Amino acid sequence: MTFNYRKTVTYRLSQTAKASRGRANAHLSRLGLHAGQETVLKVLADEDGQTMSQLAATLGVQPPTVTKMISRLSAQGFVLRQASQTDGRLARVFLTEFGRERIGDLDRAWKRLEKEALVGLDEKDRKRLRRLLRIVEQNLAAAGGQGLDPADDPEPDLEEEVPPPSPVVAA
């Protein structure tokens, strides 16, 4: 019998990631953003004025990826790149007023996505799923020689009421 990759957890995880990214893009496009850009803005909202290297490390991407993202976000007016006052070789990235004003919209979009994704799961299942996904993430990061920051797992704040979509019934 042949190996049925469609029954693997990693296949389901990959398909889920694609679906999540698609829905994220749908929500974020209303804000003029693409999936991935919201994380840059949220990271800067938490700690503004990071260097490109710091952003790359925090986001877990290569520096050229950050450069491209920041260039696009800058062209859209979300962020501003400034040369460091102490080291001209470094550029620091700051949210613009426009970017800062969009953080609340970003949070609402993220909460809508979370609610859409978790329809039909009670709080116990949601917590278990978060924990299991974190274990899978740690396993994959360890296999790739990357460490993860344990503090990088805050519980989502879903207090704002966003009406949930109709549940999808699996066949």
Side-chain angles (χ1 to χ4, degrees), residues 110-126:
W110 207 319
K111 289 174 185 180
R112 278 193 294 276
L113 177 62
E114 182 86 356
K115 287 190 182 231
E116 288 174 358
L118 300 177
V119 167
L121 298 178
D122 63 23
E123 189 56 33
K124 181 179 176 184
D125 287 339
R126 291 173 186 211

Side-chain angles (χ1 to χ4, degrees), residues 9-10 13 130-149:
V9 171
T10 49
L13 190 59
R130 278 193 302 268
R131 184 179 56 77
L132 292 172
L133 287 172
R134 184 65 176 165
I135 291 168
V136 171
E137 180 185 5
Q138 289 170 337
N139 290 343
L140 293 173
Q146 302 167 327
L148 293 179
D149 183 354

Side-chain angles (χ1 to χ4, degrees), residues 3-147:
F3 175 70
N4 189 347
Y5 68 94
R6 290 186 175 150
K7 290 190 175 190
T8 65
V9 171
T10 49
Y11 178 76
R12 289 278 41 106
L13 190 59
S14 175
Q15 295 303 107
T16 301
K18 288 177 190 176
S20 177
R21 190 169 181 91
R23 285 305 299 151
N25 272 324
H27 289 299
L28 295 170
S29 68
R30 296 180 199 128
L31 303 174
L33 296 167
H34 298 284
Q37 292 178 322
E38 83 284 5
T39 308
V40 174
L41 299 179
K42 288 297 289 177
V43 165
L44 290 171
D46 290 342
E47 187 180 336
D48 211 7
Q50 292 191 44
T51 66
M52 301 291 265
S53 297
Q54 288 171 322
L55 280 171
T58 301
L59 297 168
V61 298
Q62 296 297 313
T65 303
V66 170
T67 300
K68 190 174 184 179
M69 293 172 83
I70 296 304
S71 294
R72 289 181 176 168
L73 288 168
S74 179
Q76 295 171 274
F78 288 99
V79 300
L80 176 68
R81 243 186 310 210
Q82 290 182 342
S84 171
Q85 294 177 350
T86 58
D87 185 346
R89 298 170 295 174
L90 293 178
R92 295 199 175 275
V93 182
F94 296 89
L95 286 174
T96 61
E97 190 59 35
F98 175 75
R100 193 165 302 291
E101 290 170 357
R102 298 284 116 20
I103 297 299
D105 296 332
L106 262 178
D107 289 345
R108 284 185 285 282
W110 207 319
K111 289 174 185 180
R112 278 193 294 276
L113 177 62
E114 182 86 356
K115 287 190 182 231
E116 288 174 358
L118 300 177
V119 167
L121 298 178
D122 63 23
E123 189 56 33
K124 181 179 176 184
D125 287 339
R126 291 173 186 211
K127 284 182 179 180
R128 185 165 189 231
L129 179 59
R130 278 193 302 268
R131 184 179 56 77
L132 292 172
L133 287 172
R134 184 65 176 165
I135 291 168
V136 171
E137 180 185 5
Q138 289 170 337
N139 290 343
L140 293 173
Q146 302 167 327

